[in-house]
Amino acid sequence: MPVEWEPVRQSRTHELVLRSIEERVFAGELRAGDRLPPERELAPVLGVSRSALREALRVLETIGVLVAQPGRGPDSGARIVRNPDDALGRLLRLHFALGSYGLHDVLEARVTLERSSFEAAARHAADEDLEAAAVLLARMGEPGVTVAEFNDLDTRFHVLIAGASGNALTSTLTSAVRESVRPLILRALEEVPDWPATARALNDQHTALLGLVRRGAGAEAADLVEEHIRGLHGTLVDENAERDEARPGED
């Protein structure tokens, strides 16, 4: 049989640099805390221009695996790090804004992740985590708390509980998913007719959730957090669906 040839995929230079660095990370040759050689040394070794190398390093910095410190001191240069939370949250927010994921998808992801994290936190949460969560609830319950402040504290409460679950990946994913809908939740809270009453109702649920985690009642905490999420977040899904149905169809 004749040989079937396929086109060879052309890669831009910075993509080849990324691949080279990734291969060394996968092989264990580069670990968190390691520093890359200076640009003037690394570029000729890789056989690329310094501009292509910088472009690759910027990509790695954006995705949270590298931090670059300018200057000439001992702390200057590029260093491998483990910082996925902010990068993953930023990426997910962009994809959500672009329509890559629908509100319903995000809702179901939140329910799955937070059921797991609250149930695990009931088994593994340390006392200091529970105390930190209580401080957040106290601040949410203060008279005159603004919607924006409440939304920020609410996010931190859910992310803290996810971190107390003992599963770092669950914590990162929970943070990213919750952050992706932060602007929508803020807008929904700003539109409620009676904000003080809404804040009290939400905080009553938060208080009940923390109490269940303290008592080690993981299954009950999982059920309540699902009810809690489907309340406000589910309203957002319903409103979005109504807006889609109200849009005139295309001929």
Side-chain angles (χ1 to χ4, degrees), residues 55-138:
E55 188 172 359
L57 297 183
R58 280 196 294 269
V59 171
L60 291 172
E61 193 167 10
T62 300
I63 62 177
V65 297
L66 180 143
V67 60
Q69 297 288 346
R72 296 179 175 236
D75 294 328
S76 64
R79 180 168 52 87
I80 302 294
V81 296
R82 287 180 297 211
N83 185 28
D85 293 35
D86 291 342
L88 185 56
R90 186 185 312 118
L91 181 63
L92 190 55
R93 283 197 302 274
L94 284 170
H95 276 286
F96 179 70
L98 291 170
S100 303
Y101 306 106
L103 266 172
H104 182 267
D105 295 335
V106 178
L107 168 63
E108 295 305 324
R110 275 200 72 193
V111 168
T112 299
L113 287 167
E114 297 214 36
R115 282 189 64 93
S116 173
S117 63
F118 271 81
E119 188 166 11
R123 298 193 303 271
H124 303 298
D127 290 341
E128 54 265 31
D129 292 325
L130 299 176
E131 292 307 314
V135 170
L136 293 176
L137 295 190

Side-chain angles (χ1 to χ4, degrees), residues 110 114 118 154-162 206 225 228:
R110 275 200 72 193
E114 297 214 36
F118 271 81
D154 188 354
T155 300
R156 290 168 59 187
F157 173 76
H158 285 269
V159 172
L160 189 153
I161 294 297
H206 290 140
V225 78
H228 174 71

Side-chain angles (χ1 to χ4, degrees), residues 120-194:
R123 298 193 303 271
H124 303 298
D127 290 341
E128 54 265 31
D129 292 325
L130 299 176
E131 292 307 314
V135 170
L136 293 176
L137 295 190
R139 292 175 61 188
M140 273 189 271
E142 291 176 356
V145 63
T146 67
V147 176
E149 290 169 341
F150 188 97
N151 190 40
D152 178 62
L153 293 166
D154 188 354
T155 300
R156 290 168 59 187
F157 173 76
H158 285 269
V159 172
L160 189 153
I161 294 297
S165 70
N167 187 315
L169 181 57
T170 296
S171 177
T172 297
L173 292 173
T174 297
S175 176
V177 170
R178 179 61 175 80
E179 285 288 347
S180 73
V181 291
R182 178 200 286 258
L184 283 178
I185 292 178
L186 176 59
R187 194 180 314 146
L189 292 176
E190 289 174 336
E191 293 174 354
V192 298
D194 188 346

